[in-house]
Amino acid sequence: MRIIGIVGSPRKEKGNTGRLMLEVLKSAQQQGATFETVALPGGTVLPCLACDTCHKKGFCPQRDEFDDIMGRIMASDGIVLASPNYIFNVSAQLKAFMDRCCGVIHCLGFEGRYGASVVTSGGGDEAPIAEMMNHFMITTGVTPVGSVWATMGSFEGDEFPDEIVVRARALGRKLVDDWRKKNVPADIAERKVRFAERMRQLMLYRKDEWPYEYQYWQKKNRL
Ligand SMILES: Cc1cc2nc3c(=O)[nH]c(=O)nc-3n(C[C@H](O)[C@H](O)[C@H](O)COP(=O)(O)O)c2cc1C
């Protein structure tokens, strides 16, 4: 299993979120997976221009790191998304990346992959952020297996308490295990089916405006 870890923090892999993400990835590695990481410190993946080129022609005209990261995701079997809590949400850095995946979402372009999410905060409120990240994964076709988070203000120093490390490592193992067994829990399967139907309807509605995406669905025989 090849996994890509994407951390949306200017502190990159050495920040709190990056370090917790690495606990997940190293645990997956112990199960036989390989991993690579990408940091989004800001400015390397620019915000979406809302030009609709991805929908119409299947590519993004912006020349930044996005295409390279996309290539790496397409070559992977698993995705770990990691973000600090920035004002009750994912960081703007990760959100810019998510927004650039609009075309991916319309085509469920990451289908078949498995994912997990990682959040750290100063004072809490991680659960809705992790849920949003997992929901994003569902909309790209990924099966999320769970999340782990840490509230940095709830313990002394920078080292994660054992209990959090245990959870991060369990998540890494589950990511590999679920991918191997192709496990899809019933609730996630239902959400995936519902979202896919929504995108199918969207394609039928936008078939003239968004020829690339319409033809993508046609080629897959899913219309
Ligand atoms: C711009 C900014 C906004 C933040 N907003 C929140 C917040 O709303 N709630 C919170 O608990 N922590 C907040 N934090 C703290 C970070 O979530 C926390 O320090 C996190 O662990 C940083 O991760 P990193 O080291 O990977 O960047 C904020 C930090 C920054 C820089």
Side-chain angles (χ1 to χ4, degrees):
M1 182 182 194
R2 285 189 285 186
I3 306 174
I4 180 164
I6 301 175
V7 55
S9 164
R11 294 177 175 164
K12 304 184 184 179
E13 288 86 344
K14 292 193 171 137
N16 301 330
T17 322
R19 289 185 299 109
L20 190 57
M21 176 183 81
L22 284 168
E23 291 289 352
V24 177
L25 293 171
K26 284 178 185 165
S27 160
Q29 190 180 41
Q30 282 174 357
Q31 303 302 304
T34 58
F35 74 81
E36 61 176 308
T37 61
V38 172
L40 303 173
T44 55
V45 172
L46 301 168
C48 173
L49 295 173
C51 64
D52 284 357
T53 307
C54 57
H55 308 318
K56 291 175 183 160
K57 298 183 179 172
F59 65 89
C60 181
Q62 297 205 71
R63 298 274 66 88
D64 57 15
E65 270 187 34
F66 181 72
D67 282 350
D68 177 62
I69 297 170
M70 278 296 291
R72 295 203 225 176
I73 292 175
M74 296 315 284
S76 74
D77 309 294
I79 306 169
V80 176
L81 288 182
S83 180
N85 171 353
Y86 275 7
I87 320 299
F88 316 111
N89 214 317
V90 294
S91 65
Q93 290 84 338
L94 188 67
K95 186 60 165 55
F97 172 78
M98 289 173 157
D99 289 352
R100 292 281 290 280
C101 290
C102 207
V104 175
I105 288 171
H106 287 181
C107 296
L108 309 167
F110 298 158
E111 211 156 34
R113 293 170 182 78
Y114 279 66
S117 60
V118 175
V119 183
T120 71
S121 76
D125 302 309
E126 302 91 352
I129 301 171
E131 169 50 27
M132 181 272 207
M133 292 159 87
N134 287 343
H135 188 64
F136 165 80
M137 286 197 248
I138 287 176
T139 65
T140 61
V142 172
T143 299
V145 307
S147 30
V148 66
W149 58 73
T151 308
M152 302 309 293
S154 69
F155 52 87
E156 294 291 322
D158 284 342
E159 293 304 311
F160 298 110
D162 289 350
E163 165 223 339
I164 292 173
V165 173
V166 164
R167 270 193 264 139
R169 290 183 183 166
L171 184 63
R173 285 195 300 276
K174 188 167 178 357
L175 181 58
V176 178
D177 203 43
D178 281 6
W179 173 77
R180 280 200 181 122
K181 294 177 180 151
K182 300 289 168 251
N183 273 347
V184 185
D187 60 325
I188 301 285
E190 202 216 308
R191 285 169 70 180
K192 288 179 83 171
V193 167
R194 238 187 302 131
F195 191 76
E197 175 55 18
R198 189 168 143 193
M199 289 304 102
R200 193 181 75 84
Q201 294 292 343
L202 182 66
M203 289 307 113
L204 293 171
Y205 182 66
R206 293 282 187 199
K207 70 177 181 342
D208 297 327
E209 293 101 313
W210 298 343
Y212 170 83
E213 291 180 347
Y214 181 73
Q215 283 158 25
Y216 180 95
W217 278 73
Q218 254 184 340
K219 276 187 216 134
K220 295 243 167 191
N221 280 327
R222 290 181 77 170
L223 290 173

